[in-house]
Amino acid sequence: MTSKQSSSPHARGACPTLAKPMAVADGLLVRFRPVAEGFTPDQLEALASSARDYGNGLIEVTARGNVQVRGLTAETEQNFRMALDAAGIEAQTGVSIEISPIAGLDPKAVRDPRPLARAIRQVCDATLEKGPLSPKLSIVIVSGGQLLLDGLKADIRLIARHDCWILEVGGETIGALAEAQAAEAVGLILAMLQDEGPSSRGMDLQLGRIRAQLPFVDARPLTLTRPASYVLGPISLTDGGVALRIGLPFGQVKSAQLFALARSMRQYGVVDARPAPDRTLALTGFDSSAMQALSPALAAHGFWTRQDVGASRLTLCSGAEKSEIGIIQAAELAMALFAVAPDLIDGSFHIHVSTCAKGCPHAGRPGIMLCGNALTHYRGATQKPFASLDPGAMEASIVDLAARIRETRRPEDSTLESLDRLGHE
């Protein structure tokens, strides 16, 4: 672990970390990415017990593949860090550099991104010695293959091609360059960001300025295809072995489920569980003969082990809301919808939480917003709630809402259009 000192929670607008948690509706939230590629069964048990003993027992994997633990307090956060430290779980620090969790093992990848990631890490560390960078800054290295990072937003993105890397800054394509030039290019971009100020992001840089500073980048016309979907289930590896990608239901599990995962890993010889994008884990290091039994065993504990079209249509912002009658998790709301009203999940709405409305990474997605225990139309013409939820009887609340929707729904209506109509009643 990088720090054993207690610290005050982050203010809103910052990123929670292991060393500096953020105060949210259900307590303090920590977020981290382990230095090691994945968690061993022993480490998963340590994470589960720490979440249970020092938090509210809820563990999440985010859309970017980071780990979150919810419900810590000012009195327990230090003990939580110490417990992870004792288990050998260390958090990455510095600039976020994201690569495939199965980098070097994926036969379908265009390139192995690890050497480039190491070179860029050295550049980032050297840059930080000269001054701060935005804590939200992210570098994504897209190498293709079976675990896609194409959908992740990035300040600096490098996309593998067989003969080069494609450089993007702030979503704009700069051009092509050789791998030997890539780390240098990143260093020059980071220096430009430092010149702009400690909160500057990739989109703040002028395209012309970037190209002037990087004359070795070939600005030839490029056509990029961005796969957006992800697949759960078996993954083939370069050594002829297999891995298994599993999903956390809407990104969240309870500590008991993590204990069950650790037991199953031991039983079937799984070496580690690697946090992966799209709220998933990649299980590696086991014999292919175990796959037939492993997958249903994990499904029995609530993990998603195969693609479900209905579930994939419902997206959400991780978070929780607090009201006078209790706390509601966004994932809990999603699970209730999926359990009792799957016909309403038609891809027309995203679940937002009011506490992230100002800095929502999915601000452009239409949907509904959880505000306390009320549901409103996200950025709708009216903010009148169309439903009130009972934290102690979530599924019953959804059954009631679903009945109201079905009573008023027109044949051509999406669920979101029906909800909008309820908000105007």
Side-chain angles (χ1 to χ4, degrees), residues 17 136 154 166 181 292 380:
T17 66
K136 291 180 173 286
I166 307 302
Q181 300 169 314
Q292 188 173 0

Side-chain angles (χ1 to χ4, degrees), residues 362-386:
H362 308 293
R365 294 188 184 181
I368 61 177
M369 184 165 69
L370 178 62
C371 184
N373 70 315
L375 288 178
T376 65
H377 194 294
Y378 177 68
R379 295 185 175 178
T382 175
Q383 291 301 301
K384 178 183 176 182
F386 54 76

Side-chain angles (χ1 to χ4, degrees), residues 353-370:
V353 292
S354 70
T355 47
C356 78
K358 291 183 179 179
C360 177
H362 308 293
R365 294 188 184 181
I368 61 177
M369 184 165 69
L370 178 62

Side-chain angles (χ1 to χ4, degrees), residues 189-212:
I189 295 165
L190 295 179
M192 285 185 269
L193 289 170
Q194 282 186 327
D195 288 343
E196 294 289 324
S199 61
S200 296
R201 307 289 298 278
M203 66 180 64
D204 297 321
L205 297 178
Q206 298 268 333
L207 188 60
R209 181 187 177 193
I210 298 170
R211 286 184 170 148

